[in-house]
C-alpha cells in the first residue's frame, strides 16, 4: 500500500513508523532484523530505509599523486527493502538522493524498485559529502529534490529519459519529501523554505516527513504555515529521543535544531548517559502524546539503528 493509503485506512488513528540505517560495510542483514524485531509488535505499516552516499578516500601513491578510492560504508538499501517486505510483510520505503546519482542512475534505481513491488519512496537532495563545503550534484544528475520528484512523477506517467521510447510502463510511486520545522540549513528563512517545499508538492510529492524537532510548538507552527501556503498533504512528524549528553552539541551542529530550555536543564542535571537515555525517552513520550492529541497522522521515529529506546516509547504510546 501507499503511505497515503495507510493514513486513509487508519481512520484518524496515529500510526507508528520508524527509520533504519543500512548496516556498516561488512555486516549482514541480521543486524537489521535484530533492530526491527522488537518493534514489530507495535504494527508499523511501513519502515523507512535510508540511503548513504559513497564516500571517498585519497591515498598517496609512490609517485606523489593521490589516488581516489570509493568507499561504500552503508550499502544495500534496495536489497534491505526487499528483505523487509518479504520477511515482515510491511511496506519498505527507500530514500533516494540527488547526490551521487545521475538521472540514468536514478531511473535504473527506480526501475529496480518498481520490479520489486516497492510503492513508496522518499525523495531527498542529500547532504554534501565530507570533502565538500556545499552540496554538489552529480554531472547529469538532479540538482534539487524538486527535480528528483519531477523525474519520479514523469515515470509515474510513463515518461522515461529515452524520449524515443513509447508506451513506457507507468510506475506508481507514492513520493514523500522532507520538511524542516526549523528550516533547512541553507534556506534564507522559514518562509522561503516552505515556498520550496510547496514546489516539491506541486511537482508530485504526496506527503511530508519532518526533520527531528524537540519542541512541538515548532512543528505546530510549521504545519500552520504550510497550510496557509497551500500545502495540504499529510505532514508526518519525525522524532528522535536524545540518548547522550554530547548530542546537545552534535545534533544542533549536524541537523540545525534547537533544544528547549527545559530539556537542556534536565540533561545537564544527568550524571551519566544512562540518565540522559531515560530523560530522552520520557521527553519523547510526552512529545508523542501531545502530537497524537493534536491529530497527527503518523509518529515517525529516527532509530539510528537502535531500537531499545524506540521500543520503550512505543510501548507507552501504542
Amino acid at each position: 500500500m501507499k503511505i497515503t493509503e495507510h493514513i486513509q485506512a487508519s481512520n484518524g488513528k496515529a500510526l507508528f513508523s520508524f527509520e533504519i540505517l543500512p548496516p556498516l560495510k561488512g555486516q549482514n542483514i541480521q543486524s537489521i532484523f535484530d533492530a526491527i524485531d522488537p518493534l514489530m509488535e507495535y504494527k508499523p505499516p511501513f519502515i523507512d530505509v535510508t540511503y548513504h552516499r559513497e564516500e571517498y578516500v585519497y591515498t598517496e601513491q609512490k609517485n606523489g599523486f593521490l589516488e581516489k578510492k570509493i568507499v561504500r560504508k552503508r550499502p544495500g538499501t534496495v536489497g534491505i527493502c526487499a528483505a523487509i517486505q518479504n520477511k515482515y510483510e510491511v511496506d519498505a520505503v527507500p530514500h533516494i538522493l540527488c547526490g551521487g546519482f545521475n538521472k540514468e542512475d536514478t531511473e535504473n534505481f527506480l526501475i529496480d524498485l518498481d520490479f520489486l513491488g516497492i510503492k513508496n519512496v522518499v525523495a531527498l537532495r542529500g547532504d554534501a559529502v565530507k570533502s565538500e563545503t556545499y552540496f554538489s550534484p552529480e554531472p547529469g544528475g538532479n540538482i534539487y529534490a524538486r527535480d528528483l520528484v519531477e523525474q519520479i512523477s514523469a515515470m509515474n506517467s510513463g515518461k522515461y529519459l529515452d524520449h524515443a521510447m513509447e508506451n513506457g510502463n507507468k510506475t506508481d510511486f507514492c513520493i514523500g519529501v522532507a520538511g524542516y520545522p526549523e528550516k533547512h540549513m541553507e534556506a534564507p528563512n522559514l518562509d522561503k523554505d516552505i515556498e520550496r517545499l510547496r514546489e516539491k508538492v506541486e511537482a508530485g510529492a504526496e506527503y511530508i516527513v519532518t526533520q527531528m524537532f524537540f519542541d512541538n510548538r515548532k512543528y505546530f507552527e510549521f504545519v500552520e504555515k504550510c497550510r496557509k501556503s497551500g500545502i495540504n498533504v499529510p505532514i508526518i512528524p519525525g522524532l528522535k529521543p536524545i540518548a547522550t549528553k554530547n548530542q546537545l552539541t552534535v545534533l544542533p551542529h549536524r541537523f540545525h535544531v534547537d533544544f528547549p530550555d527545559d530539556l537542556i536543564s534536565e540533561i545537564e542535571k544527568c550524571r551519566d548517559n544512562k540518565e540522559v537515555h531515560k530523560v530522552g525517552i520520557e521527553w519523547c513520550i510526552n512529545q508523542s502524546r501531545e502530537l497524537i492529541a493534536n491529530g497527527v497522522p503518523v509518529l515517525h521515529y529516527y532509530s539510528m539503528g537502535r531500537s531499545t529506546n524506540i521500543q520503550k516509547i512505543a510501548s507507552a504510546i501504542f
Side-chain angles (χ1 to χ4, degrees):
M1 290 175 63
K2 296 181 178 182
I3 303 306
T4 50
E5 292 171 340
H6 283 299
I7 292 172
Q8 290 169 0
S10 71
N11 295 318
K13 181 180 179 181
L15 302 172
F16 166 70
S17 72
F18 58 94
E19 177 182 294
I20 61 169
L21 304 176
L24 289 167
K25 184 178 179 180
Q27 296 180 1
N28 63 25
I29 193 69
Q30 189 58 47
S31 63
I32 292 289
F33 295 156
D34 289 344
I36 293 175
D37 285 344
L39 301 176
M40 291 310 297
E41 68 175 288
Y42 308 107
K43 297 180 172 55
F46 62 92
I47 299 170
D48 277 31
V49 182
T50 64
Y51 189 96
H52 286 254
R53 291 180 64 180
E54 298 166 341
E55 295 189 7
Y56 302 94
V57 295
Y58 291 88
T59 305
E60 186 172 356
Q61 304 300 299
K62 292 180 180 179
N63 59 12
F65 290 104
L66 295 177
E67 180 186 13
K68 183 179 179 181
K69 292 183 63 178
I70 295 174
V71 179
R72 288 183 178 271
K73 287 198 171 183
R74 292 187 182 273
T77 296
V78 174
I80 290 168
C81 287
I84 287 173
Q85 293 204 161
N86 180 64
K87 180 177 174 64
Y88 297 105
E89 297 183 345
V90 301
D91 286 301
V93 186
H95 292 190
I96 181 167
L97 310 180
C98 296
F101 290 81
N102 62 37
K103 291 181 182 180
E104 290 281 357
D105 295 332
T106 297
E107 184 170 278
N108 292 332
F109 188 89
L110 291 164
I111 288 170
D112 286 346
L113 296 177
D114 186 50
F115 284 169
L116 290 168
I118 292 170
K119 295 296 183 183
N120 303 282
V121 295
V122 175
L124 306 166
R125 189 201 69 176
D127 297 326
V129 295
K130 292 179 181 178
S131 58
E132 300 172 343
T133 302
Y134 299 103
F135 172 81
S136 178
E138 195 76 8
N142 292 302
I143 300 173
Y144 302 109
R146 179 198 63 221
D147 304 326
L148 178 54
V149 172
E150 287 175 349
Q151 183 176 1
I152 301 168
S153 295
M155 289 181 64
N156 281 349
S157 298
K159 298 175 184 177
Y160 288 73
L161 296 175
D162 183 356
H163 297 297
M165 185 174 65
E166 297 181 359
N167 300 317
N169 173 65
K170 292 183 180 181
T171 56
D172 192 25
F173 293 112
C174 178
I175 307 168
V177 292
Y180 299 85
E182 298 174 68
K183 91 172 185 64
H184 188 276
M185 67 184 80
E186 296 174 19
N189 61 35
L190 182 57
D191 288 339
K192 184 59 68 173
D193 199 26
I194 289 175
E195 186 179 324
R196 299 282 86 84
L197 180 59
R198 188 177 67 246
E199 291 174 358
K200 291 189 282 187
V201 172
E202 290 170 349
E206 297 181 66
Y207 71 98
I208 297 162
V209 182
T210 76
Q211 174 65 277
M212 69 181 73
F213 57 90
F214 296 89
D215 183 345
N216 284 352
R217 290 177 299 176
K218 300 284 181 69
Y219 170 80
F220 297 137
E221 291 168 1
F222 174 71
V223 171
E224 183 179 1
K225 282 179 173 285
C226 286
R227 299 308 184 216
K228 287 181 178 178
S229 77
I231 297 172
N232 295 310
V233 300
I235 301 176
I236 297 171
L239 299 173
K240 173 181 166 46
I242 190 167
T244 62
K245 189 168 283 192
N246 75 340
Q247 287 178 341
L248 280 180
T249 53
V250 172
L251 295 181
H253 176 72
R254 279 193 68 187
F255 299 101
H256 299 264
V257 295
D258 287 340
F259 285 101
D261 290 338
D262 289 350
L263 179 56
I264 295 171
S265 177
E266 288 302 311
I267 292 171
E268 287 179 340
K269 293 176 187 176
C270 294
R271 292 167 295 181
D272 52 35
N273 284 335
K274 187 175 181 180
E275 292 186 0
V276 175
H277 192 262
K278 292 179 180 178
V279 169
I281 290 170
E282 189 60 36
W283 186 273
C284 197
I285 287 172
N286 290 333
Q287 271 193 278
S288 300
R289 286 174 173 157
E290 184 180 25
L291 290 165
I292 287 177
N294 281 271
V296 298
V298 183
L299 289 174
H300 185 70
Y301 296 92
Y302 297 111
S303 73
M304 309 302 285
R306 303 177 183 88
S307 58
T308 304
N309 49 6
I310 306 300
Q311 183 182 18
K312 291 178 180 178
I313 295 163
S315 67
I317 299 297
F318 295 96

